């Protein structure tokens, strides 16, 4: 009985000191914190600092940093008059056809912008599938951007492809600017194995993986 009371007291002391232990495991959805909108550099400072970096440390991103990377990429930033939501990156015709996937050392997730959470898809470390470059497999976070072509407006296939590549350019640049402001290394990559990613992410035929983007702390 004494040992039980001691353990309870010790747990309460740890919670008061360090906060509650995380409730979610690798196979759970990951609820993200709200972005700290008053932190970071000005836009002009971030533009001056923005660059591509291929060297990444092994340290994981904090939950706050992870939240802000995803929010910068495609989070909700306003409510529209027609009931829809606006997002941090512009979208051709408002189609919002780009889906964002996150590959970490623990799992593969899909970003749910409405709930601002990562939805669990697959257990395990699949980062190597996110790109052909050697640094990809060891970086803390790899984002994959895939377009749902069934949601894209356009008269021709070329029009639709132009629209989604324009949209993914906006998204990836948002991540670049956030990374520059937050002191993270970032690089965007067109060299991806699209067939492997479609298989890994179980994407329908009308989905097209467009780009990968790697994010992490400097070495």
């Amino acid at each position: 009985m004494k040992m039980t009371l001691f353990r309870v007291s010790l747990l309460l002391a740890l919670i008061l000191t360090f906060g509650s232990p995380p409730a979610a495991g690798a196979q759970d959805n990951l609820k993200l914190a709200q972005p700290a909108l008053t932190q970071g550099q000005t836009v002009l400072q971030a533009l001056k600092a923005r660059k591509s970096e291929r060297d990444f440390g092994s340290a994981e991103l904090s939950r706050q940093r992870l939240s802000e990377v995803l929010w910068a990429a495609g989070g909700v930033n306003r409510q529209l008059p027609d009931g829809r939501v606006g997002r941090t990156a512009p979208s051709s015709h408002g189609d919002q056809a780009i889906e964002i996937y996150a590959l970490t050392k623990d799992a593969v997730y899909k970003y749910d912008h409405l709930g601002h959470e990562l939805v669990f898809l697959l257990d395990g470390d699949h980062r190597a599938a996110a790109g052909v470059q050697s640094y990809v497999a060891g970086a803390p976070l790899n984002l994959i951007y895939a377009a749902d072509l069934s949601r894209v407006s356009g008269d021709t296939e070329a029009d639709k492809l132009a629209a989604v590549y324009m949209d993914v350019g906006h998204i990836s640049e948002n991540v670049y600017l956030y990374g520059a402001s937050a002191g993270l290394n970032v690089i965007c990559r067109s060299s991806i194995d699209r067939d492997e990613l479609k298989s890994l992410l179980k994407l329908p035929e009308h989905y097209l993986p467009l780009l990968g983007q790697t994010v992490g702390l400097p070495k």
Side-chain angles (χ1 to χ4, degrees), residues 44-208:
L44 292 180
Q45 289 170 330
L47 283 167
K48 186 176 187 301
R50 193 220 63 79
K51 57 183 176 179
S52 294
E53 290 284 0
R54 295 169 175 80
D55 293 325
F56 299 91
S58 58
E60 292 186 60
L61 297 180
S62 70
R63 187 69 64 88
Q64 187 67 37
R65 285 283 187 256
L66 181 63
S67 166
E68 291 170 0
V69 169
L70 271 300
W71 187 82
V76 173
N77 67 355
R78 65 199 185 281
Q79 187 76 39
L80 300 177
D82 62 3
R84 296 181 303 150
V85 295
R87 299 174 71 176
T88 55
S91 174
S92 178
H93 299 282
D95 291 334
Q96 297 187 4
I98 308 297
E99 301 287 358
I100 303 171
Y101 299 86
L103 284 71
T104 72
K105 72 176 184 64
D106 295 317
V108 177
Y109 301 95
K110 181 179 179 180
Y111 178 55
D112 171 18
H113 64 281
L114 293 175
H116 191 50
E117 66 177 346
L118 288 174
V119 178
F120 173 81
L121 294 181
L122 188 63
D123 196 16
D125 187 350
H126 299 275
R127 290 175 294 175
V132 301
Q133 299 83 353
S134 58
Y135 57 80
V136 170
L141 175 65
N142 285 289
L143 302 176
I144 295 295
Y145 306 119
D148 178 355
L149 297 177
S150 70
R151 288 153 50 189
V152 183
S153 303
D155 295 330
T156 68
E157 196 68 20
D159 290 340
K160 293 182 178 183
L161 288 176
V164 296
Y165 274 109
M166 178 177 70
D167 289 355
V168 81
H170 296 314
I171 292 170
S172 59
E173 184 65 7
N174 277 10
V175 174
Y176 263 120
L177 291 177
Y178 171 75
S181 177
L184 301 177
N185 284 358
V186 180
I187 190 166
C188 197
R189 304 171 286 96
S190 60
S191 298
I192 56 176
D193 188 328
R194 289 172 175 80
D195 290 335
E196 182 179 6
L197 285 169
K198 287 189 74 168
S199 175
L200 176 71
L201 301 174
K202 297 180 173 57
L203 299 180
E205 189 58 35
H206 56 274
Y207 272 64
L208 176 65

Side-chain angles (χ1 to χ4, degrees), residues 18-40:
F18 299 106
S20 299
Q27 296 188 17
D28 295 312
N29 293 351
L30 207 58
K31 187 66 179 177
L32 299 171
Q34 290 304 303
L37 299 179
T38 60
Q39 304 299 313

